[in-house]
Amino acid sequence: MQKIVDVQNVEKIYGKAGEKQFKALSDVNFEVKPGEFVGIMGASGSGKTTLLNILSTLDTPTSGQVEIAGEDITKLNNNQMADFRANKIGFIFQDFNLLENLTAYENIALPLALQNTAAKKIKPAVQSIAEKLGLTDILNHYPTELSGGQKQRVAAARALVHEPSIVFGDEPTGALDSKSARALLDTLTKINREDNVSILLVTHDPFSASFCDRILFIKDGEIGQELKKEENSRAEFYQEILDSLGTFAE
Amino acid sequence: MLNKLALSGIKHRLRDYTVLFSGLMIASAIFYMFMSLATNQAFLSSNSPAAATSFIFGFGIVLLAIITIVYVNYANTFLLSMRQKEYGMFMMLGAKSSKISRMIFVETFAIGAISTLIGSAIGVLATGFVGRWLINLLDMKVKHFSSFYLPALLWTLLFFIVIFMFSAIRNSVSLRRTKVLTLLNRDSQPVKIKRNGVMKAVQALLGLILLAVGYFTMYFSGHNPGFIYLGIPIALVTIVAGTYFTINAFVTAIIVMLKRNTKYSQKGLNNFTLSQLSFRINDYTKILSMVSIMFALALGAITVGLGFNNQIDNVVNGQNYYDVQVTNPNATQEKNIKQLSIQKKDTYNFKSDGKAVYYRNSQFKSQPIGYANMNVDTMVFKLKKSSDPAKNSNAAYELMNTRLPKYRTMEAKFVSDTEYAAVKGQESTTVLIRTTSFKNNLPMIKQISKDEIKRFPELKNAGGDKYSAYTLVNGFFSGLEFMGFFLGIAFLAMLASCLMFKILSGANGDVKRYSMLYKIGTRQKVLRSTINKEIGVLFSVPAILGIIHVLIGLQLFVKLLYKPYTNIEIPFAIFLVLYLGYYFLTRYLYKKIVLK
Ligand SMILES: Nc1ncnc2c1ncn2[C@@H]1O[C@H](COP(=O)(O)OP(=O)(O)OP(=O)(O)O)[C@@H](O)[C@H]1O
Ligand SMILES: [Mg+2]
């Protein structure tokens, strides 16, 4: 079966040769299949953000190979990287990162405008994703007029509107209260099931992680352990995560 | 410890601080440049015959002081926008607010003092440089001009120390009063957007009407000089208000229209740029109006200053038909004359018997004498020729001035060749030359005229040739012209830096926006062109309005100055070069702050 993400022997060393160097990722290997909902967990400083930055072409690995949707992203030049992000990737950030001088509608439409999609096609695309995420009534609001949960759903809509190959989230629930976090995770799960969108989520939070199909634990720059939901219920999986966090931390 | 942290904060933001320092240095340099003229009474009184000059400069000082205060205020906002997060963090960690407010006080004041000192030194150099450049460029005669003038330096230092004192106090008070949380989150504070369509439409219309009224008043006053004392205040008020409303509403209306056009706005980052602009315009209306009005004044000052220069040509050319006149030329002069590009060369002989001078009629038949006829009312002159100066008083007058002083008071008689031969007395030869262009041949003309004075010292006071008329008139108008240029350039530079700072002080808030756009896949090139467009619009709105103001404002001078629109491209070119320089600098600095 084809893979959406294929990471092989990725290593990341910060700092130039001759200066003080720090190895953030030492040998990372994993893959994500189409339609999978994968979580990455690990202690602070374990290299989660570093990994996500590499996967999303914001940073380059020191060595190793990363293929996304069949394309080797480590060989792209700057413009190609930008285009790759615009076309193939959706982002959800911890602090929403909406443009406060654009309305929710305009924020969601941005990735399409960047791809120079015809104006005719933008409107139905934005409306259909907004409907799915329950944002129809607030499309004309500016971000400052929205709650944190609404903002994050707008951000999610923006990440999904151009039908990317994969959506990356770095602690997307980090700034939300538990109710909004739950609503967002439910939405992501729904999108993942119904539209077969692949999602890769970085998180600290076992509750958020329990929505994933599979969890990779990262420690000292390496994938240490893998946990699969299989036929478990979400609550059982949650317990399982808590248990392994206990052992993993030691 | 805290001081060390604050200092290391400065190190990390070296780039931003460079911007801040250079901006403030420019401000004090320009202020000094202006003061070096304005406070130099000897310079003012010896270079300008008009009593109004002192008043104009007094007015200029007030305007410049206001602009400078606004400017330092923007610079200060820039500083605070840079530092508040850090100081907020220190406070959150438990630093006492009194300590923090003392730190920001010292920081603000130290930045002010250092930049003022360096800036004034630059000002001294720049004054010398600009002064010499202008004097050479325009062949001006300027007396008592000195680039280092102590009173000006002291005034500059005092003025800046006082405003920085106030800024420092303001910063420290504002830090002490603000809640830590507000400091930490100020970037993400919501910007209130007002959406009031009807109001805006009314304003847009009102703005255009006011501008039309102002323009018409200027046109009307220019053509009816009696109306000018009522006209200028009316024009000033209507144009200031009109500019404000036009920028506030009309420009916003255009942006809204473009946004509505989804074909345009939904393409690439156009919508983002438009939104940035519409947010900015709200915030920028005041400064953009100020800049456009002041630009008009500055540009107007330069243009009118240059108008005086055209006046010189006009007066001089209306005085003499011939550019060069020589009596009994010697070999050197003959040689020099050959180097001129000659349009018309006439040679006349005359004899004098001690009571009268005698010319030969036949010489005027074969070479009609040229003369300039100035209409004193319109200040327009016509060049004519006459083959019978006996019957033409203008031609006779022109001819009289070509003689050496001792022959000028004698009656001129025009006689036949036989009668001429009978006259006993000394014969002189007068060589008259009109070149293709007085200006282009000036150096050689000057040389010939100097030699002539050496040969006939009595000419030194009597004059009569075009070059001495030129020297006289040039000395008279140069002072005014110099002041116009200097004033204009100082204002221009100040205003452009004002605009630059206002734009840069918003840059820190934009860092996040651009980094987000980058993350979701915008090419660097696209980001850069977005920035160029945005800053381009902010610069061109006041420039366009300002240029229109000047073009129409010159109507005020149609009766006062000879052809006020001649050579208008010179002040406009200076303006554009300076302004474009600031545009590119702003663009560059903005990108340095905003993009990685
Ligand atoms: N630009 C950088 N230069 C040098 N070292 C870095 C840089 N970015 C991160 N690091 C180091 O790399 C390691 C991994 O950082 P990373 O941000 O990936 O951690 P993380 O797992 O995302 O942590 P958290 O859960 O706290 O966000 C850390 O030890 C960090 O200090
Ligand atoms: Mg992280």
Side-chain angles (χ1 to χ4, degrees), chain B residues 404-447:
Chain B
L404 290 175
K406 61 180 172 190
Y407 298 124
R408 286 186 193 168
T409 47
M410 294 175 191
E411 190 192 350
K413 292 186 173 164
F414 299 89
V415 297
S416 70
D417 288 357
T418 40
E419 284 170 301
Y420 183 81
V423 175
K424 293 206 170 59
Q426 206 189 353
E427 184 174 44
S428 307
T429 308
T430 310
V431 178
L432 302 177
I433 287 143
R434 179 173 175 81
T435 63
T436 48
S437 153
F438 180 72
K439 273 246 154 108
N440 296 345
N441 291 289
L442 195 57
M444 195 42 80
I445 293 174
K446 182 177 172 182
Q447 184 60 45

Side-chain angles (χ1 to χ4, degrees), chain A residues 14-15 22 24 42-51 171 204:
Chain A
Y14 284 116
F22 181 83
S44 183
S46 53
K48 303 184 294 291
T49 302
T50 305
L51 178 61
E171 307 267 11
H204 266 112

